[in-house]
Amino acid sequence: APSSSSSASSSSDDGDDDGVDETLVAMSDDAINARVAPSFYALTRSIDREDRRAFHRVHSIARDAAFVEAQGERFLRDSTCAAFANARAGAWYAGGGRFAYETCYFKSTDGHNNNWTMSATRLNRRVAMACAAGRGGMIVDATRSAVKRFPDALSKTVPIWCDALNRACARAKRDAGAADADDRAWFEGPHLPEWVAEHERNSIRALVPEFEASLKSTGWDVGELAAILEKPFRCVWVSRGEDGAELSLESLAEADFTPLILVTASAPLHWRGERRVGVNGHSFAYVPGAADDEESWSRGLTADMFHEHRDALLHASERDIDNIIARIVDGRIGKPRELDPRSRLAPRGCAPMDSRAAEEANRSNGAICDGGMRELSPECGIGRCSIASFAVYDRADMEKLADAFLHVGETVVDPSKACSTAFLHVPARKAKVSRTDLMKALPRCIEFARRTFETPGARLCVTCDDGVDHSVAVAVALCIAMGPSPCSNADLDKDDVRKQLAAVSKTHPDARPTRASLKQVYNFFLHSEVAD
């Protein structure tokens, strides 16, 4: 009997052990809880991700867009001011209403602490010309920050840009004998908002000579701007708080400066996960700067699609909104589950141009997003080279536009559309997906361009999905490798890349390569020998 009992007990123990993880047996209770139960941090991150899904973003954008529309009624309805939405997110807040907004490009990183820059690659010429001609302008942007009211692009980048232009225009007026007897007001900036700390103000002012030198290095002759800019540019700020509450069209018209009204669409949070009530009566978690980084949440929805189908999106339930977005995107291109790159990317850089920008865009055949082309300036010295978006392949006269086409991007071109011309597709993903695709593609691109230009008078068209990023970066690389003074990796510096981009931008004012794309161009030449 004892033997039988012992055997049964042993068998029972063996059976229990079969369900026990030996690793857990050796662990403490705290270690076990950390493994099998999510941490407080993991839970809060999960909640935060839920609150930033498309449902909450769409409602947050609509709420912010309503504020922007109200500011348009306030400052644009009875004025000649130009209106701009800062790329990339600004178009989500500033479109769809009664006022037309063009696109500008001021980066927050150019205003970050200890990184203050007057960008030589983002000159925003047509913004300056339009605001000078209209005796003022309005720029819309937003910030993802839960505590800041304004993005650094509006707090510091634009004021630095204004001051550099003011000083250059004042000197141009002096040279032309058109300066006022007292033009000190043109040299008093940068005029920064009151919330910028004094030590940061002093650091920025100390860099003014560098900002002026950066502008001068681009070769931009500001004489035309100086001739129409009657009073120096100066920024004023408008937010949902008290910023700009005292401003009016009358007070701005009487000011001794040309106002740039900087409007932030977003509002700071009182607490994380703060909820508001949407138009459908359902609550949503407000997301500041909800339109930012659209690739991570929009599923192909663009700003234009949002404004066109706004009611359907705002009345969709949280459960259904992803399906609604998919249907909108599918209906937009007529092919189920296939995304047209033009619908995704074109609105950010292809706002209608004013007449001055159209004159500057040499040999332009229309907007880039509609298949228009931009031929590089002769000073680039590489032959007849143009830049276009994927849309150029839909043009009926495509084969007459160039003798060779070089496509650098993810979208596959139908071979039948380029069968009678020399054509090369070099796959390259966006920099957010791959940090080396473009750099690896450059040798084939340069070799193809060299073969093309061996034929006297040959015309090359460089395209990418949107016509403002990869194609521009490749054009910059061609200018460096094949221009009048090709650079070797021994003497190339980042200023060479910036100067070539400035040359390309002269005839392609919508050029907007990402910093990561330009970095790949620089790294390619830094680590490679490009033979002539």
Side-chain angles (χ1 to χ4, degrees), residues 58-59 279-280 305-316 324 328:
V58 163
H59 282 273
V279 297
N280 58 0
M305 293 179 190
F306 168 76
H307 295 301
E308 183 179 353
H309 302 280
R310 177 175 174 146
D311 289 344
L313 289 165
L314 295 182
H315 285 86
I324 296 295
I328 290 172

Side-chain angles (χ1 to χ4, degrees), residues 376-385 453 475 478-486 500 503-504:
L376 299 189
S377 168
E379 70 181 76
C380 294
I382 62 172
R384 298 190 61 184
C385 181
F453 290 130
L478 297 181
C479 291
I480 295 173
M482 303 169 56
S485 303
Q500 296 299 344
V504 171

Side-chain angles (χ1 to χ4, degrees), residues 409-426:
E410 297 180 69
T411 309
V412 178
V413 179
D414 183 352
S416 65
K417 295 181 178 181
C419 60
S420 61
T421 60
F423 175 76
L424 175 65
H425 176 206
V426 183

